Amino acid sequence: MTGVNHRDMNTKNKYVILKALATQGAMPRNELSMLSGLSKMAVTAIANEYMEQGVLRECGELSSSGGRKPKLLELDPNGLLTLSVSIDREMLLVGIVNARGTILRSEHIPFRQVDSNQILTDNLFYLCDMMMRDPLSRNFWGIGVSCVGPLSIEEGEILNPPDFGSIHNLPIVRLLKERYDLPCYLQNDMCLAALAEAYYGKHSSMKNFLYIGISAGIGGGIILDRKLFTGTSGLAGIIGHSIVQMDGLPCTCGQRGCLEQYSSLTAIVKWAREQSGDDTITWMKLAGGILEGNPLSQNVINRMAEYLYVAISNFQAAFDMQGVIIGGELYGAKDYIVSRVRENLQSENLKWSYRRRIEVEGSSFMSDASFIGTSALIMENRLGK
């Protein structure tokens, strides 16, 4: 049996305390002790150390029937800050996110201005330099980078994402580490959106779930036993390229019948235009039509939900998940899409539904889940491993 030294154990104990306060909010020392399995003495020692460093603070008292009133502990909102970077096909976003998942500051540049490795790097340094001049930068404990894939997580590189200008094989982690002398971690944007839900979302009580992000494409992230699961090569959860129609529409990945060709916003706008003959239809028009009870919008999104149901059913058969969280750029149609998928997955006609009833919920965030997830990424890597 491999031994665990005192330093490793102390780091893991700190992670347990910080994650509990980050995900569940303020609580007294005795509750932290019960939740973590640590002794009250160990919790007090960690709390005192972190209060001296400005990471934790006392924020009030609980009522007591006798004796001293238990004092509540919480994360200091300006302690343990992440220099957060988000790179997608529309913009480069850089900012400051605290350990509670709150965005304290952000700046962005439209992606049309950053279509090569050098231009992206120049603009990235410009925005990061701006954040480093903020007085809060003294509390940075890492840089978290969210990016569309494919990525090489081990090498810290952006490889060759499709429809992404001329950006390829960019060693973004090495470049940021060298310039700012901070630990830096890279992860797929959908994985970080899932991590944000696990840490900071309103459905964070779910231990096992699949996050689905729907925009121009479809991505996913898997949380198993409250931990991000990325698989052998880091590609677990790419639900957009699960096959929902045998010999179906060709996909850019080389397969046919991928979910992305039926339920992404790009795909359903294309289908709606074909059905109506109206080339002016946009996703915003379809989403608005749902609120107005427009039949075309309902038909299009019902079809979208049916294909999502097929893909989710396959994932459910493999992972026996507690729930599915649906997010992305759905705007006013999110609740309708969630309800349609929920109806399909919780159908009484499914013989296993009473034993494996799966929760289907909408994302807790608008379109900033992956950006917020960079904070959880830093905590996972700095303390959780």
Side-chain angles (χ1 to χ4, degrees):
M1 180 177 177
T2 302
V4 179
N5 64 39
H6 178 74
R7 182 176 179 181
D8 290 339
M9 183 61 71
N10 190 46
T11 298
K12 290 184 181 297
N13 290 345
K14 289 178 176 180
Y15 170 70
V16 170
I17 298 299
L18 289 180
K19 185 174 182 180
L21 294 173
T23 58
Q24 299 184 42
M27 61 182 71
R29 290 171 176 78
N30 62 340
E31 190 172 336
L32 281 168
S33 175
M34 289 186 291
L35 187 66
S36 65
L38 302 174
S39 68
K40 292 181 182 178
M41 184 179 297
V43 170
T44 296
I46 292 172
N48 289 344
E49 179 183 344
Y50 273 139
M51 282 194 290
E52 289 178 6
Q53 296 171 4
V55 173
L56 301 185
R57 66 183 185 184
E58 292 181 338
C59 60
E61 298 176 332
L62 291 178
S63 58
S64 174
S65 56
R68 298 177 60 182
K69 295 180 180 179
K71 294 184 182 295
L72 291 170
L73 289 174
E74 68 173 0
L75 290 174
D76 189 296
N78 292 331
L80 297 183
L81 303 181
T82 296
L83 176 55
S84 299
V85 176
S86 175
I87 306 170
D88 63 27
R89 291 181 176 84
E90 295 184 357
M91 68 176 177
L92 168 63
L93 177 66
V94 176
I96 301 172
V97 180
N98 70 18
R100 296 177 178 180
T102 301
I103 300 171
L104 303 182
R105 183 182 175 190
S106 65
E107 301 288 345
H108 74 277
I109 294 174
F111 193 73
R112 62 179 177 272
Q113 300 177 23
V114 286
D115 61 355
S116 72
N117 280 14
Q118 188 58 56
I119 296 175
L120 174 57
T121 302
D122 290 345
N123 281 276
L124 176 60
F125 287 166
Y126 170 76
L127 292 180
C128 288
D129 287 350
M130 189 184 302
M131 298 303 152
M132 293 301 293
R133 290 193 292 270
D134 191 296
L136 291 174
S137 65
R138 66 182 183 276
N139 293 332
F140 284 150
W141 71 322
I143 304 171
V145 182
S146 163
C147 187
V148 295
L151 311 170
S152 172
I153 302 302
E154 289 187 0
E155 299 298 326
E157 290 188 4
I158 301 172
L159 298 178
N160 56 340
D163 304 319
F164 205 49
S166 300
I167 295 170
H168 64 282
N169 301 111
L170 177 64
I172 191 166
V173 168
R174 176 176 62 78
L175 294 173
L176 288 169
K177 277 184 175 180
E178 288 177 354
R179 188 174 181 90
Y180 300 109
D181 193 27
L182 285 168
C184 182
Y185 306 97
L186 171 69
Q187 188 52 266
N188 177 275
D189 57 344
M190 291 297 99
C191 288
L192 289 184
L195 205 55
E197 296 286 354
Y199 267 72
Y200 312 117
K202 58 188 176 183
H203 311 297
S204 59
S205 60
M206 285 196 287
K207 294 177 61 177
N208 306 289
F209 66 86
L210 169 67
Y211 174 87
I212 302 176
I214 304 172
S215 56
I218 295 180
I222 299 174
I223 298 294
L224 295 180
D225 197 22
R226 293 197 172 93
K227 292 185 178 294
L228 181 65
F229 176 75
T230 57
T232 303
S233 57
L235 297 176
I238 51 172
I239 192 171
H241 295 288
S242 59
I243 296 174
V244 295
Q245 182 70 57
M246 288 296 294
D247 300 319
L249 297 171
C251 183
T252 55
C253 73
Q255 300 183 128
R256 301 183 71 91
C258 291
L259 176 65
E260 194 166 282
Q261 299 304 313
Y262 297 89
S263 295
S264 67
L265 303 190
T266 302
I268 65 170
V269 167
K270 179 182 177 182
W271 192 79
R273 290 177 176 179
E274 291 171 350
Q275 299 304 304
S276 65
D278 181 359
D279 288 339
T280 68
I281 287 178
T282 63
W283 166 243
M284 294 306 293
K285 283 186 178 181
L286 290 172
I290 285 296
L291 301 177
E292 299 166 1
N294 180 275
L296 175 64
S297 292
Q298 291 177 340
N299 290 338
V300 169
I301 293 180
N302 286 345
R303 177 178 181 270
M304 171 193 189
E306 288 172 2
Y307 282 108
L308 283 168
Y309 160 69
V310 173
I312 294 169
S313 292
N314 290 332
F315 267 72
Q316 174 67 346
F319 290 100
D320 190 18
M321 299 171 296
Q322 184 179 354
V324 174
I325 297 176
I326 299 176
E329 300 172 6
L330 302 176
Y331 305 111
K334 181 171 70 175
D335 290 345
Y336 184 83
I337 294 168
V338 168
S339 67
R340 297 296 296 125
V341 174
R342 183 186 292 128
E343 287 173 15
N344 288 333
L345 283 167
Q346 297 181 351
S347 169
E348 297 300 327
N349 295 326
L350 298 176
K351 295 184 182 297
W352 48 261
S353 64
Y354 73 99
R355 296 186 65 184
R356 296 174 62 187
R357 194 171 185 84
I358 184 170
E359 300 175 37
V360 183
E361 304 291 348
S363 172
S364 307
F365 310 97
M366 290 295 289
S367 57
D368 52 7
S370 60
F371 187 63
I372 290 171
T374 56
S375 173
L377 177 68
I378 298 301
M379 190 176 296
E380 293 273 307
N381 280 278
R382 289 297 308 272
L383 296 174
K385 292 187 175 181

